Amino acid sequence: MVGTLLVGIYIFFCLTKDKYWILNSFIILFPCHITIKQLLLHYFDNIGLFTIWYDVALLLLLVKTLIGKHEKKLNGLLYVAILFIFITYYFLTYLFEGQLDAEAISTFRIYFHCIILYIIGSIIIIDEKHLGGIYKSFINTCLLLTITGLIIYLLFQSNWHYLMDHYIINDYGLETYITSSFLIMGVERMFGLLPGPNQFGVLIALFMIILFFIKIQKYKVKKSILLISLILSIVCIVLSFSRAGWGIFIISLFMYNWVNHNYMKLLKFVVAFLFFLSILLILMNYFYPNYFEIIISSIDGSEASVSVRGDNITYISKYILNEPLGHGLGSGILENGTPIAESSLMILLYEIGIIGGFYYEFLILLLGIIILRINTSYSKYVFAIIIATIIISIFSMNVFQYPYVYYLWLIIGLSLNKSVIVLTKKYATT
């Protein structure tokens, strides 16, 4: 009842407010979806219609964008249409060859939502006021996630695990985590309002890159807030021990400076990063030796989850080759909720086949190349994020799942938006 009431109130605001309010509210609220859902289950034992809030939000946002003034040309719509045909085909294949279940519908829903976000981002007209609103929404969301993440981690992470139903009773009658990813070498990992530390880490990394872009713009944003957001993000991404998050951040900044021909900045970045990492490791080795050991083990690959990942990919590859057309959407998640592989690429190939999986990766790369040719600071940052995402998708399952992939397709759409291109050029630093 309470969940349904919350959805009703939100829909009321979506109907009465403009499309920009819906977009900004989505940016802020979406990472909190699982947490709010779990809180409703814990305190009211029922979520009602709560889970449809963002379906309704995206649909209303799309309708309001289409019926109002918007950009006439949608860059890359053809590629998204082809993608939709691919996904629909494999979804129907799953209906006939497999059993329709919640995972199939949930996976299809993700692809469908991402297409909607891409279309919205590509055609919605953004002026200076609305651009500032989007900037502030990303900054505020980053602050929300990092501050709550630190509070939970430092004060009541164990109780938060209970609240989020992260504990189960195993076959031996002992209480254990639903997934081993909450711990690394016996140490708790930060996850905040997200379902797990890896989802938290990759999203924070994406937000950090967005903050770096905002920082180089001439658009008036409080530098102190930006600096605080970046510092908090660095602390949180370290405590999440998300190697995928670290990879996205490092690769994105590296690629941005590379395509921007900032070779001196690139060299300075590498030196500064190594210096910062050295200082951090020295401090951790002195004050928190357990954390120091985890970071070193993660970097050299000796940590257990890193060392077995290659074997896991090799094992799943056999099943992919045996069924090259795919096993159906959602089949990459087992009945107990665990993925068949810690790799977005492997899950893609397993679910929608070799052709569908590589097409999806190629589609994102192709859009990245189109975006790079726009030749703005924003387009170069987005291209860098795309390259980082493609690389990390080989080693992490989180970049093509909730919530990272939603923001990825939104910023891809915005980078192809004519009005955004004009504004980002206007506020570009010289």
Side-chain angles (χ1 to χ4, degrees):
M1 179 63 183
V2 176
T4 303
L5 178 62
L6 289 175
V7 173
I9 294 172
Y10 182 73
I11 293 175
F12 171 78
F13 280 108
C14 288
L15 290 170
T16 55
K17 298 287 186 177
D18 61 22
K19 54 192 173 187
Y20 304 103
W21 184 92
I22 302 176
L23 178 59
N24 289 320
S25 69
F26 176 85
I27 292 172
I28 296 172
L29 292 175
F30 191 59
C32 311
H33 170 71
I34 298 297
T35 293
I36 299 173
K37 176 184 173 182
Q38 286 300 122
L39 290 174
L40 288 171
L41 280 173
H42 182 81
Y43 289 107
F44 302 102
D45 198 31
N46 189 287
I47 61 173
L49 298 176
F50 173 74
T51 55
I52 70 167
W53 74 268
Y54 60 92
D55 296 87
V56 176
L58 293 179
L59 179 60
L60 289 175
L61 178 55
L62 178 62
V63 170
K64 287 194 173 190
T65 302
L66 290 173
I67 63 176
K69 187 179 180 182
H70 59 82
E71 299 291 350
K72 300 300 180 184
K73 183 180 178 182
L74 176 57
N75 294 289
L77 178 58
L78 174 62
Y79 308 114
V80 177
I82 296 172
L83 172 65
F84 183 75
I85 292 170
F86 263 87
I87 301 307
T88 303
Y89 167 75
Y90 285 106
F91 181 68
L92 293 175
T93 302
Y94 190 79
L95 278 175
F96 289 110
E97 296 185 2
Q99 180 181 355
L100 180 61
D101 57 17
E103 286 297 339
I105 296 173
S106 177
T107 306
F108 182 75
R109 198 171 164 213
I110 291 174
Y111 288 115
F112 187 68
H113 288 159
C114 288
I115 292 171
I116 291 177
L117 279 167
Y118 171 83
I119 294 172
I120 292 168
S122 298
I123 65 175
I124 189 171
I125 294 180
I126 304 293
D127 60 19
E128 295 184 17
K129 176 185 175 182
H130 301 134
L131 180 65
I134 293 173
Y135 284 171
K136 290 175 183 177
S137 293
F138 275 110
I139 294 170
N140 291 335
T141 306
C142 187
L143 286 171
L144 171 66
L145 295 177
T146 53
I147 291 172
T148 54
L150 283 168
I151 292 173
I152 292 169
Y153 187 76
L154 296 175
L155 300 181
F156 52 89
Q157 178 129 316
S158 179
N159 292 332
W160 193 252
H161 278 302
Y162 278 107
L163 198 63
M164 296 294 107
D165 292 331
H166 290 163
Y167 290 119
I168 58 172
I169 303 299
N170 63 19
D171 296 336
Y172 303 98
L174 300 175
E175 191 174 65
T176 184
Y177 292 110
I178 57 174
T179 172
S180 59
S181 65
F182 290 117
L183 294 176
I184 183 167
M185 296 176 66
V187 175
E188 281 276 357
R189 302 171 65 186
M190 181 183 291
F191 59 91
L193 300 179
L194 275 294
N198 291 314
Q199 292 97 323
F200 180 79
V202 295
L203 186 62
I204 293 299
L206 179 63
F207 275 54
M208 288 171 69
I209 302 302
I210 294 172
L211 292 179
F212 267 88
F213 165 71
I214 296 174
K215 184 175 180 294
I216 68 167
Q217 292 281 282
K218 291 178 180 178
Y219 195 91
K220 293 182 180 178
V221 176
K222 289 186 178 179
K223 301 299 182 184
S224 58
I225 299 297
L226 267 177
L227 182 60
I228 292 171
S229 300
L230 283 169
I231 292 173
L232 289 174
S233 298
I234 291 171
V235 173
C236 289
I237 201 172
V238 169
L239 293 178
S240 74
F241 297 106
S242 172
R243 293 169 290 270
W246 301 348
I248 287 170
F249 177 66
I250 295 169
I251 295 171
S252 294
L253 286 186
F254 181 91
M255 286 303 304
Y256 170 75
N257 285 294
W258 181 267
V259 300
N260 210 33
H261 305 297
N262 291 333
Y263 302 118
M264 285 305 299
K265 284 187 178 181
L266 183 59
L267 179 61
K268 289 178 182 178
F269 166 72
V270 173
V271 172
F273 174 76
L274 292 175
F275 176 76
F276 174 78
L277 181 62
S278 301
I279 296 298
L280 181 64
L281 290 175
I282 291 171
L283 291 174
M284 282 193 167
N285 187 37
Y286 185 79
F287 293 104
Y288 304 101
N290 289 341
Y291 289 79
F292 171 80
E293 184 179 353
I294 293 169
I295 293 177
I296 293 298
S297 299
S298 298
I299 293 173
D300 65 18
S302 60
E303 193 270 319
S305 64
V306 177
S307 57
V308 301
R309 197 157 295 188
D311 295 334
N312 180 252
I313 291 176
T314 303
Y315 176 76
I316 295 300
S317 297
K318 298 177 182 178
Y319 288 93
I320 294 170
L321 294 174
N322 289 336
E323 195 69 46
L325 292 179
H327 295 76
L329 290 178
S331 59
I333 305 297
L334 303 178
E335 289 184 4
N336 61 2
T338 58
I340 59 166
E342 287 289 335
S343 165
S344 291
L345 177 59
M346 289 294 106
I347 293 174
L348 271 176
L349 297 175
Y350 185 87
E351 290 190 350
I352 61 177
I354 295 174
I355 296 175
F358 281 115
Y359 175 82
Y360 187 82
E361 296 267 11
F362 175 74
L363 170 71
I364 297 176
L365 178 61
L366 181 60
L367 288 173
I369 295 171
I370 294 171
I371 290 167
L372 180 62
R373 289 176 178 172
I374 297 172
N375 198 31
T376 65
S377 293
Y378 179 57
S379 66
K380 292 173 183 176
Y381 265 109
V382 175
F383 174 77
I385 291 170
I386 287 173
I387 296 300
T389 301
I390 291 173
I391 293 173
I392 296 301
S393 72
I394 302 171
F395 310 102
S396 171
M397 63 168 287
N398 299 289
V399 291
F400 288 160
Q401 293 187 340
Y402 164 90
Y404 181 94
V405 71
Y406 282 73
Y407 290 99
L408 175 67
W409 279 100
L410 174 62
I411 64 175
I412 288 175
L414 288 171
S415 64
L416 293 166
N417 186 305
K418 285 185 177 180
S419 59
V420 173
I421 293 171
V422 171
L423 285 174
T424 51
K425 283 183 177 180
K426 177 180 178 180
Y427 289 107
T429 54
T430 56

